[in-house]
Amino acid sequence: RPALRGHDSVIKALQASKRKVYVECLSGTRYSGTIVGRDKYTMTVLAQFDNRVIIFKHSIESFYGEEKKNSEV
């Protein structure tokens, strides 16, 4: 299996850290939660009220993870 590169490596790291992520789609819709799954084409986010949102990667405009607190460093 080839090594992950680019955004896939970032998504994998965010999923492993279980930090909150913020995702903005091209449509303007925004989601926040933790990444609970991913594959080649999608990312699954556990959002508010335990809703699982499947987001197609090609529809993502931007995403970022919540900053670590000083106590986590």
Side-chain angles (χ1 to χ4, degrees), residues 2 5 11 14 17 21-22 26 28 31-33 35 37-38 43 46 53-56 58 64 67 69-70 73:
R5 295 181 300 192
I11 291 171
L14 286 170
S17 73
V21 296
Y22 300 89
L26 294 170
Y31 299 102
S32 63
I35 299 171
R38 61 188 170 74
M43 174 170 59
L46 184 59
V53 179
I54 298 171
I55 304 167
F56 284 92
H58 70 265
Y64 60 95
E67 292 294 321
K69 298 176 184 152
N70 287 337
V73 175

Side-chain angles (χ1 to χ4, degrees), residues 37-54:
R38 61 188 170 74
D39 63 22
K40 187 175 181 178
Y41 302 106
T42 65
M43 174 170 59
T44 303
V45 174
L46 184 59
Q48 196 173 21
F49 307 115
D50 288 331
N51 291 323
R52 289 179 185 260
V53 179
I54 298 171

